[in-house]
Amino acid sequence: MVESALRQARREDREAFILYAIEGFTIREISATTDRSLDQVRASISAARDRLQKSLPVSTWRDKLLLHSKTA
């Protein structure tokens, strides 16, 4: 379901969100790996999180994933 919901996100947003929320990379690590600023990475994570929030059905699993990614 996450993959389907993120399919509509921009590639940069999807990549940053997956690296952060699922793979456990820090914002700084993602910035260095993708050659993007910290603010750009945070904005991408936020955009992907917003897309997921609108696309996924209400569930405890969705809420936990979104809560974890909110710290970016």
Side-chain angles (χ1 to χ4, degrees):
M1 285 198 285
V2 171
E3 182 181 348
S4 178
L6 287 177
R7 200 171 292 150
Q8 303 302 317
R10 291 182 11 198
R11 182 190 59 78
E12 296 87 359
D13 298 347
R14 183 175 51 250
E15 176 183 52
F17 183 86
I18 290 170
L19 289 173
Y20 183 78
I22 297 173
E23 299 294 331
F25 283 69
T26 66
I27 302 294
R28 192 169 302 281
E29 290 169 330
I30 298 167
S31 174
T33 302
T34 61
D35 197 30
R36 299 174 68 210
S37 73
L38 296 173
D39 288 337
Q40 289 173 319
V41 171
R42 284 188 188 98
S44 284
I45 293 169
S46 179
R49 186 178 55 245
D50 290 346
R51 178 167 296 284
L52 281 173
Q53 195 167 24
K54 293 174 185 169
S55 300
L56 292 178
V58 175
S59 74
T60 302
W61 178 83
R62 180 200 75 174
D63 293 343
K64 285 181 183 180
L65 179 63
L66 294 175
L67 179 64
H68 174 70
S69 68
K70 193 172 186 176
T71 59

